[in-house]
């Protein structure tokens, strides 16, 4: 893309990337090994400059025509609106918005760590696709999943494992299942295959994603948050819930407080917004892997009443949710992160994370809807 400065508004003169409409089937693209895009450059002051890189194909439309005034600065009033929403909501909440096809970002509590919960499935998928780009894995690689691999909480895939004894799935199908269904078993199977938590942390460090931690995997994370030491028997039936209920209230509260004070899977809203921006710009993965993952994220089924519900008709949204355990009406992590695309193709990374709140679920969803609605309302101003 070339830009020319004159007395007139900045114009986008040409764009060569073809636009693909609709969602991309998970079976349609098998990423091949690619050379990596330019790495982020850290300046003397510690600031990081991220190259926008070459355009990549995407199912989302691209901005066309004159660049609107919001390219270089946030629309007047948007920061104030976000602040008022943030200030009025009880509990610890973090919000970040970044214009992907622009030069600004804004946040409230954007640099603090919040529990990610299933948001962290995105980093597993990214690490896997990076391994595919590097030729260390393939999308058709088969992964066996047996009873010894079962985890806790949301794992629809576990029913097949119990019925059939074991199942074998491709990496492609596991990514689809982990992201679109937020299946913990599919995600932990990918995690095991790519090399465990260390491999994901290495990817985060290699890409210099900033304040993003990756925890020990679903079983150890959830056991520790509850105040338990993991046993594989907890994956059977409601054994986990029963063992958790048998703990004293003081034990449970202490474990929860420790987790919230220093979440092992913590991430800052601003760092996540930046990572989403780099994903959309095509500087984290190959063009094929970038397009594939965005297609998968556009099919996410969880959280339909969170950020997505606040966007008006004509907007598109790809995202990943995260929800933690409850204790006394408080949820340890209630999140939604994603990329919103306006009808004219302009894209925004939007992140809302709740560490602690006394509000009920409808109020939490209402806040998220208000944030995404505000982004849409101020778009183009």
């Amino acid at each position: 893309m070339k830009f020319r400065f004159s007395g007139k508004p900045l114009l986008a003169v040409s764009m060569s990337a073809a636009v693909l409409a609709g969602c991309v089937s998970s079976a349609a693209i098998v990423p091949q090994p690619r050379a990596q895009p330019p790495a982020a450059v850290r300046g003397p002051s510690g600031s990081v400059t991220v190259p926008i890189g070459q355009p990549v194909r995407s199912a989302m439309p691209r901005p066309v025509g004159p660049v609107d005034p919001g390219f270089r600065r946030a629309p007047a009033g948007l920061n104030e609106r976000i602040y008022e929403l943030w200030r009025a909501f009880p509990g610890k909440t973090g919000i970040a918005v970044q214009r992907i096809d622009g030069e600004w970002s804004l946040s409230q509590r954007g640099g603090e760590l919040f529990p990610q919960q299933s948001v962290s499935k995105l980093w597993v998928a990214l690490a896997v696709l990076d391994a595919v780009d590097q030729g260390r894995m393939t999308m058709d690689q088969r992964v066996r999943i047996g009873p010894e691999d079962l985890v806790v909480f949301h794992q629809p895939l576990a029913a097949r494992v119990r019925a059939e004894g074991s199942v074998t799935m491709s990496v492609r199908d596991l990514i689809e299942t982990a992201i679109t269904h937020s299946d913990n078993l599919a995600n932990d199977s990918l995690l095991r295959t790519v090399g465990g938590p260390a491999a994901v942390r290495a990817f985060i460090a290699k890409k210099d994603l900033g304040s993003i931690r990756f925890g020990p995997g679903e079983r150890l994370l959830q056991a520790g948050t509850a105040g338990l030491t993991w046993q594989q028997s907890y994956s059977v039936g409601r054994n986990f819930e029963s063992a958790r209920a048998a703990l004293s209230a003081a034990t449970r509260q202490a474990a929860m407080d420790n987790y919230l004070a220093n979440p092992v899977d913590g991430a800052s809203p601003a760092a996540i917004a930046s990572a989403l921006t780099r994903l959309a710009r095509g500087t984290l993965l190959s063009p094929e892997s970038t397009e594939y993952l965005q297609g998968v994220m556009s099919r996410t089924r969880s959280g339909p009443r969170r950020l997505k519900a606040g966007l008006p008709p004509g907007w598109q949204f790809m995202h990943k949710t995260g929800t933690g355990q409850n204790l006394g009406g408080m949820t340890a992590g209630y999140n939604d992160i994603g990329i919103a695309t306006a009808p004219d193709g302009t894209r925004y990374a939007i992140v809302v994370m709740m560490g602690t709140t006394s509000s009920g679920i409808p109020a939490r969803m209402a806040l998220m809807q208000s944030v995404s609605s505000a982004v849409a309302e101020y778009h183009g101003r």
Side-chain angles (χ1 to χ4, degrees):
M1 181 178 293
K2 299 180 180 178
F3 296 90
R4 183 178 60 193
F5 290 88
S6 68
K8 299 180 181 180
L10 187 62
L11 299 181
V13 177
S14 65
M15 179 172 291
S16 60
V19 179
L20 299 181
C23 296
V24 180
S25 167
S26 61
I29 301 171
V30 180
Q32 298 299 319
R34 291 262 175 152
Q36 290 300 295
V41 178
R42 186 175 295 279
S45 65
S47 62
V48 176
T49 300
V50 180
I52 290 182
Q54 297 299 312
V56 299
R57 294 177 296 153
S58 172
M60 299 296 182
R62 291 291 191 267
V64 296
V67 176
D68 65 82
F71 183 85
R72 288 194 171 84
R73 49 103 181 134
L78 177 58
N79 190 51
E80 291 75 12
R81 173 73 65 82
I82 296 297
Y83 170 76
E84 289 302 323
L85 292 170
W86 172 83
R87 183 182 63 83
F89 194 79
K92 180 181 177 180
T93 305
I95 300 173
V97 179
Q98 183 166 348
R99 176 156 170 169
I100 293 169
D101 308 293
E103 300 176 351
W104 61 263
S105 62
L106 57 86
S107 66
Q108 296 295 332
R109 244 175 175 157
E112 297 185 31
L113 294 178
F114 288 79
Q116 294 185 79
Q117 294 295 319
S118 286
V119 164
S120 64
K121 289 181 171 69
L122 177 60
W123 318 124
V124 176
L126 282 165
V128 169
L129 289 169
D130 181 64
V132 170
D133 289 341
Q134 298 298 318
R136 293 183 283 110
M137 292 177 62
T138 70
M139 295 293 278
D140 293 322
Q141 183 173 330
R142 310 296 289 177
V143 178
R144 179 192 176 277
I145 307 169
E148 68 278 8
D149 301 313
L150 298 181
V151 292
V152 291
F153 301 141
H154 191 66
Q155 49 174 340
L157 183 56
R160 283 188 55 198
V161 174
R162 295 187 182 105
E164 302 172 26
S166 67
V167 298
T168 302
M169 297 176 64
S170 68
V171 165
R172 178 188 295 103
D173 289 341
L174 285 173
I175 293 175
E176 181 82 20
T177 304
I179 299 296
T180 65
H181 294 272
S182 203
D183 190 304
N184 292 337
L185 178 54
N187 187 69
D188 267 22
S189 298
L190 283 171
L191 177 61
R192 181 179 71 253
T193 303
V194 79
V200 179
R201 292 170 191 145
F203 170 82
I204 292 171
K206 179 177 75 171
K207 298 297 182 178
D208 197 16
L209 297 186
S211 298
I212 297 175
R213 295 175 175 177
F214 188 79
E218 197 68 28
R219 292 179 283 195
L220 296 182
L221 173 65
Q222 299 304 340
T225 302
L228 294 168
T229 300
W230 175 256
Q231 300 177 29
Q232 189 57 34
S233 61
Y234 290 159
S235 68
V236 178
R238 298 199 48 91
N239 288 352
F240 182 89
E241 289 80 357
S242 297
R244 184 178 62 182
L247 295 173
S248 69
T251 297
R252 287 208 61 195
Q253 190 64 59
M256 181 69 77
D257 290 344
N258 288 337
Y259 170 63
L260 292 173
N262 189 25
V264 294
D265 66 335
S268 74
I272 293 179
S274 176
L276 290 172
T277 295
R278 292 174 61 186
L279 170 64
R281 287 178 176 177
T283 60
L284 289 184
L285 299 171
S286 70
E288 288 84 357
S289 289
T290 298
E291 182 182 16
Y292 168 77
L293 183 55
Q294 289 184 103
V296 173
M297 292 174 67
S298 72
R299 296 188 288 277
T300 293
R301 299 185 182 185
S302 60
R305 302 299 301 169
R306 299 189 191 188
L307 287 171
K308 185 175 184 178
L311 295 170
W315 285 66
Q316 300 178 56
F317 194 56
M318 56 179 71
H319 66 132
K320 185 69 198 77
T321 59
T323 306
Q325 295 181 54
N326 290 290
L327 180 61
M330 189 278 299
T331 303
Y334 192 85
N335 314 315
D336 199 7
I337 70 163
I339 297 170
T341 304
D344 67 1
T346 303
R347 299 170 296 176
Y348 299 91
I350 308 176
V351 176
V352 178
M353 307 182 78
M354 301 177 187
T356 59
T357 180
S358 58
S359 295
I361 291 177
R364 301 175 199 177
M365 293 190 295
L367 171 66
M368 292 181 172
Q369 293 168 23
S370 294
V371 170
S372 56
S373 177
V375 172
E377 178 185 345
Y378 282 87
H379 168 64
R381 294 191 182 183

